[in-house]
Amino acid sequence: MIVIKSQEDIRTMREGGAILAEVLHEVARHAVPDADTLSLDRMAQDLLVARGGTPAFKGYQGYPASLCVSINNEVVHGIPSREKKLRDGDVVGLDLGVLYKGFYTDMAVTVGVGKVSRTARRLIEVTRQALERGLRKVRAGATLGDIGNAVQSFVEKKGFGVVRSLVGHGVGTEVHEDPPVPNYGEAGTGAVLKAGMTLAIEPMVTVGDYAVSTLDDQWTVITDDGSLAAHFEHTIAVTERGYEILTRS
Ligand code: MF3
Ligand code: CO
Protein backbone atom coordinates (compact mmCIF):
# COMPACT_ATOMS: atom_id res chain seq x y z
CA MET A 1 0.00 0.00 0.00
CA ILE A 2 1.42 3.39 -1.01
CA VAL A 3 0.71 6.06 1.60
CA ILE A 4 -0.33 9.52 0.38
CA LYS A 5 1.02 12.29 2.62
CA SER A 6 -0.93 15.39 3.58
CA GLN A 7 0.39 18.90 2.97
CA GLU A 8 1.15 19.02 6.68
CA ASP A 9 3.14 15.73 6.52
CA ILE A 10 5.10 17.08 3.55
CA ARG A 11 5.81 20.31 5.42
CA THR A 12 7.35 18.26 8.20
CA MET A 13 9.39 16.17 5.76
CA ARG A 14 10.59 19.38 4.09
CA GLU A 15 11.89 20.60 7.46
CA GLY A 16 13.60 17.29 8.22
CA GLY A 17 14.94 17.10 4.68
CA ALA A 18 16.46 20.58 4.92
CA ILE A 19 18.28 19.58 8.12
CA LEU A 20 19.45 16.35 6.49
CA ALA A 21 20.77 18.11 3.38
CA GLU A 22 22.60 20.73 5.41
CA VAL A 23 24.26 18.07 7.57
CA LEU A 24 25.17 15.77 4.69
CA HIS A 25 26.76 18.63 2.76
CA GLU A 26 28.76 19.60 5.84
CA VAL A 27 29.95 16.00 6.27
CA ALA A 28 30.85 15.83 2.56
CA ARG A 29 33.10 18.89 2.96
CA HIS A 30 35.10 16.86 5.46
CA ALA A 31 35.62 13.90 3.12
CA VAL A 32 39.30 14.74 2.57
CA PRO A 33 42.50 12.66 2.50
CA ASP A 34 43.25 11.11 5.93
CA ALA A 35 39.75 11.72 7.36
CA ASP A 36 38.69 8.62 9.24
CA THR A 37 35.21 7.40 8.45
CA LEU A 38 34.14 7.01 12.09
CA SER A 39 34.78 10.73 12.64
CA LEU A 40 32.48 11.48 9.69
CA ASP A 41 29.85 9.27 11.29
CA ARG A 42 30.17 11.11 14.63
CA MET A 43 29.99 14.45 12.87
CA ALA A 44 26.83 13.42 11.03
CA GLN A 45 25.20 12.18 14.21
CA ASP A 46 26.17 15.23 16.31
CA LEU A 47 25.01 17.72 13.68
CA LEU A 48 21.66 15.94 13.23
CA VAL A 49 21.00 15.75 16.95
CA ALA A 50 21.98 19.43 17.44
CA ARG A 51 19.24 20.31 14.91
CA GLY A 52 16.55 18.24 16.59
CA GLY A 53 16.83 15.16 14.39
CA THR A 54 17.45 11.50 15.19
CA PRO A 55 19.76 9.41 12.98
CA ALA A 56 17.50 7.06 11.02
CA PHE A 57 19.90 4.25 10.24
CA LYS A 58 21.47 3.57 13.65
CA GLY A 59 19.89 0.37 14.93
CA TYR A 60 17.87 -0.09 11.74
CA GLN A 61 17.89 -3.89 11.30
CA GLY A 62 21.01 -3.80 13.46
CA TYR A 63 22.98 -1.29 11.35
CA PRO A 64 25.69 -0.01 13.75
CA ALA A 65 26.19 3.62 12.61
CA SER A 66 24.36 6.82 11.62
CA LEU A 67 26.13 7.27 8.28
CA CYS A 68 26.92 4.82 5.48
CA VAL A 69 30.37 5.45 3.94
CA SER A 70 31.03 3.42 0.80
CA ILE A 71 34.48 3.69 -0.75
CA ASN A 72 35.45 2.89 -4.39
CA ASN A 73 34.19 -0.66 -5.18
CA GLU A 74 31.77 -0.42 -2.23
CA VAL A 75 28.35 0.50 -3.62
CA VAL A 76 26.30 1.25 -0.49
CA HIS A 77 25.99 0.47 3.25
CA GLY A 78 29.73 0.71 4.04
CA ILE A 79 30.23 0.77 7.82
CA PRO A 80 32.34 3.64 9.24
CA SER A 81 35.33 2.69 11.36
CA ARG A 82 38.36 4.34 12.97
CA GLU A 83 40.66 2.13 10.88
CA LYS A 84 39.05 3.04 7.60
CA LYS A 85 40.57 6.31 6.41
CA LEU A 86 39.91 8.18 3.19
CA ARG A 87 42.75 8.44 0.71
CA ASP A 88 43.58 10.72 -2.16
CA GLY A 89 41.70 9.52 -5.26
CA ASP A 90 38.91 7.68 -3.42
CA VAL A 91 35.30 7.78 -4.60
CA VAL A 92 33.14 8.04 -1.47
CA GLY A 93 29.40 7.56 -1.16
CA LEU A 94 27.84 9.21 1.92
CA ASP A 95 24.31 8.09 2.78
CA LEU A 96 22.36 9.54 5.72
CA GLY A 97 18.79 9.46 7.00
CA VAL A 98 17.00 11.47 9.66
CA LEU A 99 13.85 10.99 11.72
CA TYR A 100 12.30 14.40 12.41
CA LYS A 101 8.91 14.99 14.05
CA GLY A 102 7.77 11.47 13.13
CA PHE A 103 8.93 11.46 9.50
CA TYR A 104 12.01 10.06 7.80
CA THR A 105 13.96 11.56 4.93
CA ASP A 106 16.85 9.83 3.15
CA MET A 107 19.69 11.28 1.06
CA ALA A 108 23.03 10.30 -0.46
CA VAL A 109 25.83 11.99 -2.36
CA THR A 110 29.10 10.74 -3.82
CA VAL A 111 32.27 12.84 -3.76
CA GLY A 112 35.85 12.48 -4.92
CA VAL A 113 38.59 12.70 -2.29
CA GLY A 114 41.49 14.93 -3.31
CA LYS A 115 42.54 14.38 -6.90
CA VAL A 116 40.49 11.61 -8.56
CA SER A 117 40.80 9.90 -11.94
CA ARG A 118 38.93 11.03 -15.04
CA THR A 119 36.84 7.88 -14.91
CA ALA A 120 35.91 8.53 -11.29
CA ARG A 121 34.88 12.09 -12.08
CA ARG A 122 32.80 10.90 -15.00
CA LEU A 123 31.14 8.19 -12.91
CA ILE A 124 30.16 10.67 -10.20
CA GLU A 125 28.80 13.16 -12.72
CA VAL A 126 26.84 10.53 -14.69
CA THR A 127 25.28 9.17 -11.48
CA ARG A 128 24.27 12.66 -10.34
CA GLN A 129 22.74 13.33 -13.75
CA ALA A 130 21.01 9.92 -13.73
CA LEU A 131 19.14 10.94 -10.59
CA GLU A 132 18.15 14.16 -12.34
CA ARG A 133 16.90 12.25 -15.40
CA GLY A 134 14.76 10.08 -13.15
CA LEU A 135 13.42 13.09 -11.26
CA ARG A 136 12.39 14.84 -14.46
CA LYS A 137 9.89 12.04 -15.15
CA VAL A 138 8.13 12.48 -11.82
CA ARG A 139 4.60 13.92 -11.83
CA ALA A 140 1.10 12.66 -11.05
CA GLY A 141 0.10 10.20 -13.77
CA ALA A 142 3.63 9.06 -14.68
CA THR A 143 4.71 5.52 -13.73
CA LEU A 144 7.57 4.02 -11.75
CA GLY A 145 8.75 2.44 -15.01
CA ASP A 146 9.11 5.91 -16.52
CA ILE A 147 11.60 6.80 -13.76
CA GLY A 148 13.55 3.55 -13.96
CA ASN A 149 13.72 3.64 -17.72
CA ALA A 150 15.01 7.22 -17.75
CA VAL A 151 17.79 6.35 -15.27
CA GLN A 152 18.78 3.11 -16.98
CA SER A 153 18.80 4.39 -20.55
CA PHE A 154 20.88 7.44 -19.59
CA VAL A 155 23.45 5.41 -17.60
CA GLU A 156 23.80 2.67 -20.20
CA LYS A 157 24.19 5.23 -22.99
CA LYS A 158 27.18 6.53 -21.00
CA GLY A 159 28.64 2.98 -20.88
CA PHE A 160 28.08 2.35 -17.17
CA GLY A 161 26.01 -0.24 -15.28
CA VAL A 162 22.87 0.21 -13.16
CA VAL A 163 22.57 -1.91 -10.03
CA ARG A 164 19.43 -4.07 -10.10
CA SER A 165 19.39 -5.85 -6.75
CA LEU A 166 18.98 -2.65 -4.70
CA VAL A 167 16.28 -0.07 -5.39
CA GLY A 168 14.80 3.19 -4.15
CA HIS A 169 11.67 3.21 -2.01
CA GLY A 170 8.76 5.09 -0.54
CA VAL A 171 9.70 6.99 2.62
CA GLY A 172 7.64 8.63 5.37
CA THR A 173 6.74 7.28 8.78
CA GLU A 174 9.05 4.36 7.89
CA VAL A 175 12.51 4.54 6.28
CA HIS A 176 11.43 2.01 3.69
CA GLU A 177 7.81 2.12 2.54
CA ASP A 178 6.06 0.96 -0.60
CA PRO A 179 6.66 1.21 -3.47
CA PRO A 180 10.09 -0.14 -4.47
CA VAL A 181 11.59 2.33 -6.98
CA PRO A 182 13.86 0.48 -9.45
CA ASN A 183 16.52 2.29 -11.44
CA TYR A 184 15.69 0.22 -14.52
CA GLY A 185 12.58 -0.85 -16.39
CA GLU A 186 10.11 -0.11 -19.15
CA ALA A 187 8.45 3.25 -19.60
CA GLY A 188 4.70 3.14 -19.03
CA THR A 189 4.82 0.14 -16.68
CA GLY A 190 4.49 -0.17 -12.91
CA ALA A 191 2.55 1.81 -10.33
CA VAL A 192 1.06 5.16 -11.36
CA LEU A 193 2.36 8.13 -9.34
CA LYS A 194 -0.06 10.29 -7.39
CA ALA A 195 0.39 13.71 -5.78
CA GLY A 196 1.42 13.30 -2.14
CA MET A 197 3.54 10.18 -2.63
CA THR A 198 7.01 10.63 -1.10
CA LEU A 199 9.82 8.64 -2.68
CA ALA A 200 13.55 8.11 -2.17
CA ILE A 201 15.05 7.84 -5.65
CA GLU A 202 18.60 6.49 -5.54
CA PRO A 203 20.51 5.31 -8.61
CA MET A 204 23.57 3.15 -7.91
CA VAL A 205 25.93 3.13 -10.89
CA THR A 206 29.02 1.01 -11.65
CA VAL A 207 31.91 1.57 -14.06
CA GLY A 208 31.81 -2.13 -14.96
CA ASP A 209 29.20 -4.85 -14.54
CA TYR A 210 26.20 -4.14 -12.32
CA ALA A 211 26.41 -7.40 -10.34
CA VAL A 212 26.97 -6.84 -6.61
CA SER A 213 27.41 -8.91 -3.44
CA THR A 214 27.24 -8.33 0.31
CA LEU A 215 30.36 -8.76 2.45
CA ASP A 216 30.56 -11.00 5.54
CA ASP A 217 29.85 -7.93 7.72
CA GLN A 218 26.26 -8.41 6.44
CA TRP A 219 26.07 -4.80 5.20
CA THR A 220 28.75 -3.60 2.81
CA VAL A 221 27.63 -4.06 -0.79
CA ILE A 222 30.51 -4.32 -3.30
CA THR A 223 30.77 -4.70 -7.06
CA ASP A 224 31.59 -8.27 -8.09
CA ASP A 225 34.13 -7.12 -10.68
CA GLY A 226 35.81 -4.66 -8.29
CA SER A 227 34.86 -1.65 -10.40
CA LEU A 228 34.09 1.78 -8.93
CA ALA A 229 30.52 2.62 -7.94
CA ALA A 230 28.61 5.82 -7.13
CA HIS A 231 25.25 6.61 -5.50
CA PHE A 232 23.05 9.70 -5.28
CA GLU A 233 19.70 9.91 -3.49
CA HIS A 234 16.99 12.49 -2.86
CA THR A 235 13.70 12.26 -1.01
CA ILE A 236 11.01 13.89 -3.14
CA ALA A 237 7.27 14.56 -3.03
CA VAL A 238 5.17 13.91 -6.13
CA THR A 239 3.04 16.91 -7.15
CA GLU A 240 0.33 17.28 -9.81
CA ARG A 241 2.74 18.91 -12.24
CA GLY A 242 6.08 17.48 -11.15
CA TYR A 243 7.96 17.00 -7.92
CA GLU A 244 9.55 18.79 -5.00
CA ILE A 245 12.96 17.81 -3.65
CA LEU A 246 12.55 17.59 0.13
CA THR A 247 16.24 16.94 0.89
CA ARG A 248 17.41 20.43 -0.02
CA SER A 249 19.10 22.90 2.31
N1 MF3 B 1 19.56 4.91 1.84
C1 MF3 B 1 19.76 3.56 2.29
C2 MF3 B 1 18.62 2.69 1.85
O1 MF3 B 1 17.59 3.20 1.50
C3 MF3 B 1 19.84 3.52 3.75
C4 MF3 B 1 20.24 2.25 4.30
S1 MF3 B 1 19.71 2.19 5.87
C5 MF3 B 1 20.72 1.17 6.73
O2 MF3 B 1 18.74 1.49 1.79
F1 MF3 B 1 20.49 1.42 7.95
F2 MF3 B 1 20.31 -0.02 6.43
F3 MF3 B 1 21.96 1.36 6.43
CO1 CO C 1 17.24 5.03 0.60
Side-chain angles (χ1 to χ4, degrees), residues 57 95 106 167-169 175-176 200 202 231 233:
F57 302 163
D95 190 351
D106 192 359
V167 297
H169 50 92
V175 182
H176 294 134
E202 50 179 318
H231 175 214
E233 176 175 24

